[in-house]
């Protein structure tokens, strides 16, 4: 039972995929926060499904790089060094803008300062301040339980781990189809989209998939095929009711995409997502996710008061500025602070925390 958990090869395609998932999130917000054609809003509406991809991706990479010699304390320290500095910077910036725009109160923002906002069903709390930060609240819960789940999966044989993968995937699909919320508000919506306990199943899906592949399973399907399938499934999900659009419709396509991309990198084949410029954008995507909504809202507000522009122009400007700000934050704030706080002077082999985004405009 179990396996020898040696250092695994880099999976640059997974880092590159983060750039495209972050772009989808940005485009969703770009059409939701300003007047845009119905067709544009329809196409980009599924962009917020990227949250499911990033939860799976986070579980996958952490399990892929996991080692038996690691202690829970060391793991928690690395996770805190990776997440907290940039999160708090974005919390201050986003919260300051929210207060200045009179859209949120400081009291409602306090839970998000401690990454607790996703545990509250009230929209004014879980989307307070820098609203996209809610997913990091769920991620912190995932990190808390990761050492225990990882030890359990490591002790299982390959067939048992595959069973965990299937069972977790069933829960990912069944929960929203059981609760069936019809609007992005209320306890049902919160339970399937923001509640950390229900979102944990996607994280476990990613962990289980990584452990299955670590035990030698192969998935030699072209990455282009699974990427196209995931894209088509995301757009097609716009015709589904809300409870089908959220999480359930893209769960299987995202699993297939992760499996094919990881297998291609392990086999040395790579993919377009492993192209160095795309990988660099993927490295910046965490910072981009945290600041993109504030940048976009400022660009929209400034252009509306000075030189009104069509939605696509303000979106393009917001994208360029957002990427530039993210690059500076990642290279000169995020990475140096992480090295210092980790205490070992090293960065992880693969930056594994993907950006996530809220579905609802808030």
């Amino acid at each position: 039972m179990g396996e020898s958990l040696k250092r695994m090869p880099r999976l640059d395609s997974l880092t590159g995929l983060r750039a495209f998932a972050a772009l989808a999130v940005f485009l969703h917000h770009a059409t939701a926060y300003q007047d845009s054609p119905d067709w544009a809003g329809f196409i980009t509406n599924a962009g917020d499904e990227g949250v499911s991809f990033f939860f799976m991706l986070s579980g996958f990479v952490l399990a892929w790089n996991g080692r038996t010699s690691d202690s829970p304390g060391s793991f928690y320290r690395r996770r805190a060094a990776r997440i907290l500095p940039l999160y708090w910077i974005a919390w201050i910036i986003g919260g300051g803008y929210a207060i200045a725009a009179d859209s949120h109160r400081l009291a409602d923002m306090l839970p998000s300062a401690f990454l607790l906002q996703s545990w509250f069903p009230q929209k004014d709390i879980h989307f307070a301040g820098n609203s996209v930060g809610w997913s990091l609240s769920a991620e912190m819960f995932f990190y808390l339980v990761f050492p225990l789940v990882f030890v359990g999966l490591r002790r299982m044989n390959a067939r048992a781990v595959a069973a965990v993968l299937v069972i977790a995937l069933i829960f990912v699909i069944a929960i929203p189809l059981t609760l069936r919320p019809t609007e992005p508000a209320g306890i049902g919506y919160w339970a399937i989209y923001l509640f950390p306990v229900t979102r944990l199943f996607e994280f476990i899906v990613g962990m289980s998939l990584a452990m299955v592949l670590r035990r030698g399973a192969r998935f030699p399907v072209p990455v282009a095929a699974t990427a196209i399938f995931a894209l088509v499934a995301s757009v097609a999900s716009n015709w589904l009711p809300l409870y089908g659009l959220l999480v359930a419709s893209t769960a299987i396509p995202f699993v297939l995409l992760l499996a094919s991309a990881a297998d291609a990198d392990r086999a040395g084949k790579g993919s377009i997502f492993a192209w160095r410029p795309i990988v660099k954008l993927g490295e910046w995507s965490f910072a981009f996710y945290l600041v993109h909504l504030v940048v976009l809202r400022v660009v929209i507000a400034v252009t509306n008061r000075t030189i009104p522009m069509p939605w696509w122009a303000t979106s393009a400007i917001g994208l360029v500025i957002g990427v530039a700000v993210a690059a500076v934050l990642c290279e000169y704030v995020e990475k140096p602070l992480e090295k210092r706080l980790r205490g070992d002077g090293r960065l992880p082999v693969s930056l594994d925390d993907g950006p996530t985004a809220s579905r609802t405009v808030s």
Side-chain angles (χ1 to χ4, degrees), residues 15 20 32 40 95 119 124 130 142 165 211 225 262 298 304 326:
T15 303
F20 289 89
W119 295 92
D124 289 342
N130 188 26
F142 304 162
L165 170 60
M211 299 299 277
V298 170
N304 284 343

Side-chain angles (χ1 to χ4, degrees), residues 265-352:
D265 283 357
R266 178 176 59 180
K269 298 178 181 178
S271 69
I272 184 61
F273 303 111
W275 187 37
R276 186 56 195 165
I278 295 178
V279 173
K280 178 57 69 174
L281 289 172
E283 291 178 1
W284 296 343
S285 62
F286 178 55
F288 177 77
Y289 163 68
L290 286 175
V291 302
H292 81 273
L293 189 52
V294 176
V295 170
L296 181 62
R297 295 180 68 181
V298 170
V299 168
I300 293 172
V302 170
T303 54
N304 284 343
R305 295 177 182 178
T306 55
I307 306 175
M309 297 180 180
W311 71 274
W312 57 265
T314 53
S315 299
I317 294 172
L319 179 61
V320 171
I321 295 177
V323 170
V325 171
V328 172
L329 286 174
C330 180
E331 300 298 333
Y332 298 102
V333 179
E334 178 185 347
K335 289 182 178 180
L337 283 177
E338 182 180 358
K339 285 182 179 180
R340 180 179 294 273
L341 294 174
R342 281 169 62 91
D344 56 11
R346 296 183 294 107
L347 285 174
V349 173
S350 176
L351 299 178
D352 52 343

Side-chain angles (χ1 to χ4, degrees), residues 233-253:
S234 295
V235 175
S237 67
N238 286 307
W239 278 276
L240 297 175
L242 178 66
Y243 56 84
L245 169 65
L246 295 174
V247 185
S249 58
T250 53
I252 293 176

Side-chain angles (χ1 to χ4, degrees), residues 16-347:
L17 279 167
R18 290 168 48 191
F20 289 89
L23 176 62
V25 170
F26 173 86
L27 292 176
H28 167 63
H29 286 145
T31 55
Y33 275 83
Q34 56 186 327
D35 292 333
S36 59
D38 291 341
W39 63 264
F42 180 81
I43 293 175
T44 62
N45 186 49
D48 58 356
E49 291 173 338
V51 68
S52 186
F53 178 81
F54 288 118
F55 285 164
M56 291 182 186
L57 174 63
S58 181
F60 185 101
V61 178
L62 287 175
W64 182 262
N65 290 328
R67 295 177 222 137
T68 55
S69 60
D70 202 12
S71 68
S74 297
F75 173 79
Y76 295 144
R77 178 173 180 171
R78 293 197 307 275
R79 293 298 87 211
R82 172 76 176 101
I83 294 295
L84 293 182
L86 207 57
Y87 173 84
W88 279 329
I89 291 172
W91 181 84
I92 293 172
I93 296 172
Y97 179 84
I99 292 174
D102 198 28
S103 58
H104 290 112
R105 300 178 305 164
L106 178 59
D108 292 333
M109 291 168 47
L110 290 180
S112 63
F114 302 97
L115 285 159
L116 296 174
Q117 64 267 47
S118 287
W119 295 92
F120 291 82
Q122 298 90 344
K123 179 180 177 180
D124 289 342
I125 295 180
H126 56 238
F127 286 148
N130 188 26
S131 59
V132 297
W134 72 266
S135 59
L136 276 303
S137 175
E139 285 276 2
M140 293 304 286
F141 173 67
F142 304 162
Y143 299 157
L144 181 65
V145 302
F146 172 83
L148 180 62
V149 177
F150 180 69
V151 169
L153 291 174
R154 182 175 58 82
R155 292 176 178 175
M156 296 178 182
N157 59 35
R159 182 172 297 181
V161 174
V164 172
L165 170 60
V166 172
I167 293 171
L169 192 57
I170 290 174
F171 273 99
V172 169
I173 297 172
I175 290 174
L177 297 185
T178 300
L179 297 179
R180 300 167 66 92
T182 56
E183 59 181 357
I187 194 71
Y189 170 78
W190 168 77
I192 70 171
Y193 195 70
L194 296 110
F195 187 37
V197 175
T198 53
R199 302 313 299 259
L200 176 64
F201 289 106
E202 290 146 276
F203 186 77
I204 293 176
V205 164
M207 290 184 63
S208 304
L209 179 62
M211 299 299 277
V212 167
L213 293 179
R214 288 193 68 148
R215 283 171 163 78
R218 299 299 307 275
F219 192 77
V221 178
V223 180
T226 57
I228 293 173
F229 178 46
L231 176 62
V232 171
S234 295
V235 175
S237 67
N238 286 307
W239 278 276
L240 297 175
L242 178 66
Y243 56 84
L245 169 65
L246 295 174
V247 185
S249 58
T250 53
I252 293 176
F254 286 163
V255 167
L256 299 179
L257 178 57
L258 284 172
S260 65
D263 190 74
D265 283 357
R266 178 176 59 180
K269 298 178 181 178
S271 69
I272 184 61
F273 303 111
W275 187 37
R276 186 56 195 165
I278 295 178
V279 173
K280 178 57 69 174
L281 289 172
E283 291 178 1
W284 296 343
S285 62
F286 178 55
F288 177 77
Y289 163 68
L290 286 175
V291 302
H292 81 273
L293 189 52
V294 176
V295 170
L296 181 62
R297 295 180 68 181
V298 170
V299 168
I300 293 172
V302 170
T303 54
N304 284 343
R305 295 177 182 178
T306 55
I307 306 175
M309 297 180 180
W311 71 274
W312 57 265
T314 53
S315 299
I317 294 172
L319 179 61
V320 171
I321 295 177
V323 170
V325 171
V328 172
L329 286 174
C330 180
E331 300 298 333
Y332 298 102
V333 179
E334 178 185 347
K335 289 182 178 180
L337 283 177
E338 182 180 358
K339 285 182 179 180
R340 180 179 294 273
L341 294 174
R342 281 169 62 91
D344 56 11
R346 296 183 294 107
L347 285 174

